[in-house]
Short mmCIF file of all heavy atoms in Angstrom, two decimals:
data_model
loop_
_atom_site.label_atom_id
_atom_site.label_comp_id
_atom_site.label_asym_id
_atom_site.label_seq_id
_atom_site.Cartn_x
_atom_site.Cartn_y
_atom_site.Cartn_z
N THR A 144 -12.54 8.64 5.09
CA THR A 144 -12.01 9.97 4.75
C THR A 144 -12.21 10.33 3.29
O THR A 144 -11.90 11.46 2.89
CB THR A 144 -10.49 10.05 5.05
OG1 THR A 144 -9.81 9.07 4.25
CG2 THR A 144 -10.23 9.79 6.53
N GLY A 148 -12.48 14.10 1.75
CA GLY A 148 -11.49 14.52 0.78
C GLY A 148 -12.12 15.22 -0.41
O GLY A 148 -11.60 16.21 -0.91
N SER A 160 -8.22 6.91 -7.54
CA SER A 160 -6.83 6.63 -7.18
C SER A 160 -6.71 6.10 -5.76
O SER A 160 -5.98 5.14 -5.49
CB SER A 160 -5.99 7.90 -7.35
OG SER A 160 -4.66 7.67 -6.95
N SER A 161 -7.45 6.71 -4.82
CA SER A 161 -7.40 6.27 -3.43
C SER A 161 -7.89 4.84 -3.30
O SER A 161 -7.26 3.99 -2.64
CB SER A 161 -8.24 7.19 -2.54
OG SER A 161 -7.69 8.48 -2.49
N ALA A 165 -5.56 1.50 -2.38
CA ALA A 165 -5.88 0.72 -1.19
C ALA A 165 -6.16 -0.74 -1.52
O ALA A 165 -5.78 -1.65 -0.78
CB ALA A 165 -7.08 1.33 -0.48
N GLY A 186 -5.13 3.92 -18.24
CA GLY A 186 -4.67 2.96 -19.23
C GLY A 186 -4.63 1.53 -18.77
O GLY A 186 -4.16 0.65 -19.49
N ILE A 196 -17.95 -1.62 -19.29
CA ILE A 196 -18.29 -1.05 -17.98
C ILE A 196 -19.30 0.08 -18.13
O ILE A 196 -20.26 0.20 -17.37
CB ILE A 196 -17.00 -0.57 -17.27
CG1 ILE A 196 -16.14 -1.77 -16.88
CG2 ILE A 196 -17.36 0.25 -16.02
CD1 ILE A 196 -14.76 -1.40 -16.37
N PRO A 209 -28.53 -6.78 -15.29
CA PRO A 209 -27.67 -7.71 -16.02
C PRO A 209 -26.49 -8.13 -15.16
O PRO A 209 -26.15 -7.48 -14.17
CB PRO A 209 -27.19 -6.86 -17.21
CG PRO A 209 -27.14 -5.47 -16.65
CD PRO A 209 -28.31 -5.39 -15.68
N ASP A 265 -21.77 20.02 -10.31
CA ASP A 265 -22.92 20.75 -10.84
C ASP A 265 -23.09 22.10 -10.18
O ASP A 265 -23.61 23.05 -10.78
CB ASP A 265 -24.21 19.93 -10.65
CG ASP A 265 -24.40 18.90 -11.76
OD1 ASP A 265 -23.65 18.96 -12.75
OD2 ASP A 265 -25.27 18.03 -11.60
N ARG A 275 -25.43 22.22 -19.34
CA ARG A 275 -26.46 22.41 -20.37
C ARG A 275 -25.82 22.44 -21.76
O ARG A 275 -26.32 21.82 -22.71
CB ARG A 275 -27.22 23.72 -20.12
CG ARG A 275 -28.17 23.68 -18.92
CD ARG A 275 -29.10 24.88 -18.93
NE ARG A 275 -28.41 26.13 -18.75
CZ ARG A 275 -28.20 26.72 -17.57
NH1 ARG A 275 -28.65 26.15 -16.46
NH2 ARG A 275 -27.59 27.88 -17.48
N LEU A 282 -26.21 16.41 -28.22
CA LEU A 282 -27.43 16.14 -28.98
C LEU A 282 -27.33 16.69 -30.39
O LEU A 282 -27.86 16.08 -31.34
CB LEU A 282 -28.63 16.75 -28.25
CG LEU A 282 -30.02 16.34 -28.75
CD1 LEU A 282 -30.22 14.83 -28.59
CD2 LEU A 282 -31.10 17.11 -28.00
N PRO A 286 -28.16 11.53 -32.33
CA PRO A 286 -29.18 11.05 -31.38
C PRO A 286 -28.51 10.43 -30.16
O PRO A 286 -27.41 9.87 -30.26
CB PRO A 286 -29.95 9.98 -32.19
CG PRO A 286 -29.64 10.27 -33.62
CD PRO A 286 -28.26 10.86 -33.64
N GLY A 330 -36.78 32.58 -16.85
CA GLY A 330 -38.01 33.20 -17.28
C GLY A 330 -38.86 32.35 -18.19
O GLY A 330 -40.09 32.48 -18.20
N LEU A 343 -27.50 30.46 -30.21
CA LEU A 343 -28.11 29.79 -29.08
C LEU A 343 -28.94 28.62 -29.60
O LEU A 343 -29.62 28.74 -30.61
CB LEU A 343 -29.03 30.73 -28.30
CG LEU A 343 -28.45 32.05 -27.78
CD1 LEU A 343 -29.54 32.83 -27.03
CD2 LEU A 343 -27.27 31.80 -26.88
N LEU A 361 -40.92 33.09 -26.12
CA LEU A 361 -39.46 33.01 -26.08
C LEU A 361 -38.88 33.46 -27.42
O LEU A 361 -37.92 34.24 -27.46
CB LEU A 361 -39.03 31.57 -25.78
CG LEU A 361 -37.53 31.28 -25.82
CD1 LEU A 361 -36.75 32.19 -24.89
CD2 LEU A 361 -37.27 29.81 -25.47
N SER A 375 -38.53 24.49 -34.22
CA SER A 375 -38.87 23.21 -34.85
C SER A 375 -40.34 22.88 -34.65
O SER A 375 -41.04 23.53 -33.86
CB SER A 375 -38.02 22.08 -34.26
OG SER A 375 -38.52 21.69 -32.98
N ASP A 386 -33.10 15.39 -34.19
CA ASP A 386 -33.75 15.87 -35.42
C ASP A 386 -34.41 17.23 -35.20
O ASP A 386 -34.41 18.08 -36.10
CB ASP A 386 -34.80 14.86 -35.88
CG ASP A 386 -34.18 13.59 -36.45
OD1 ASP A 386 -32.96 13.57 -36.65
OD2 ASP A 386 -34.93 12.62 -36.68
N GLU A 392 -31.88 24.36 -36.76
CA GLU A 392 -30.63 24.94 -37.25
C GLU A 392 -30.62 25.04 -38.78
O GLU A 392 -30.06 25.99 -39.33
CB GLU A 392 -29.45 24.12 -36.75
CG GLU A 392 -29.18 24.30 -35.26
CD GLU A 392 -27.75 23.98 -34.90
OE1 GLU A 392 -26.88 24.86 -35.06
OE2 GLU A 392 -27.49 22.85 -34.46
N LEU A 394 -33.23 25.59 -40.59
CA LEU A 394 -34.08 26.75 -40.86
C LEU A 394 -33.32 28.05 -40.67
O LEU A 394 -33.50 29.01 -41.44
CB LEU A 394 -35.33 26.71 -39.97
CG LEU A 394 -36.38 25.66 -40.32
CD1 LEU A 394 -37.42 25.54 -39.20
CD2 LEU A 394 -37.07 26.00 -41.64
N GLN A 404 -44.42 29.44 -47.71
CA GLN A 404 -43.69 28.24 -48.10
C GLN A 404 -43.10 27.47 -46.92
O GLN A 404 -42.44 26.46 -47.11
CB GLN A 404 -42.54 28.61 -49.05
CG GLN A 404 -42.96 29.38 -50.29
CD GLN A 404 -41.78 29.68 -51.17
OE1 GLN A 404 -41.25 28.83 -51.85
NE2 GLN A 404 -41.32 30.94 -51.11
N ILE A 414 -37.66 15.12 -44.81
CA ILE A 414 -37.08 14.13 -45.72
C ILE A 414 -35.56 14.09 -45.57
O ILE A 414 -34.94 13.02 -45.56
CB ILE A 414 -37.48 14.44 -47.18
CG1 ILE A 414 -39.00 14.26 -47.36
CG2 ILE A 414 -36.72 13.55 -48.15
CD1 ILE A 414 -39.51 14.70 -48.71
N LEU A 452 -39.74 32.40 -60.18
CA LEU A 452 -40.65 31.75 -59.23
C LEU A 452 -41.00 32.68 -58.07
O LEU A 452 -42.14 32.68 -57.59
CB LEU A 452 -40.01 30.46 -58.69
CG LEU A 452 -39.75 29.36 -59.74
CD1 LEU A 452 -39.05 28.17 -59.09
CD2 LEU A 452 -41.05 28.92 -60.39
N SER A 457 -44.12 35.91 -63.26
CA SER A 457 -44.24 37.13 -64.07
C SER A 457 -42.89 37.46 -64.70
O SER A 457 -41.93 37.80 -63.98
CB SER A 457 -44.72 38.31 -63.22
OG SER A 457 -44.60 39.53 -63.94
N ALA A 477 -36.53 29.76 -71.55
CA ALA A 477 -36.59 28.74 -72.60
C ALA A 477 -35.39 27.80 -72.48
O ALA A 477 -35.52 26.58 -72.68
CB ALA A 477 -36.62 29.39 -73.97
N LEU A 500 -35.43 23.58 -56.21
CA LEU A 500 -34.71 24.73 -55.63
C LEU A 500 -34.71 24.68 -54.10
O LEU A 500 -33.69 24.96 -53.47
CB LEU A 500 -35.35 26.04 -56.11
CG LEU A 500 -34.87 26.59 -57.45
CD1 LEU A 500 -35.77 27.73 -57.90
CD2 LEU A 500 -33.41 27.06 -57.34
N LEU A 512 -23.75 23.58 -41.68
CA LEU A 512 -23.77 23.36 -40.22
C LEU A 512 -22.49 22.68 -39.79
O LEU A 512 -21.93 21.86 -40.52
CB LEU A 512 -24.98 22.50 -39.85
CG LEU A 512 -26.34 23.17 -40.00
CD1 LEU A 512 -27.45 22.18 -39.66
CD2 LEU A 512 -26.45 24.41 -39.12
#
Side-chain angles (χ1 to χ4, degrees):
T144 61
S160 177
S161 294
I196 292 171
D265 277 349
R275 288 193 295 268
L282 192 62
L343 305 180
L361 175 56
S375 78
D386 288 351
E392 288 203 83
L394 287 169
Q404 305 181 75
I414 294 173
L452 296 177
S457 169
L500 274 169
L512 291 177

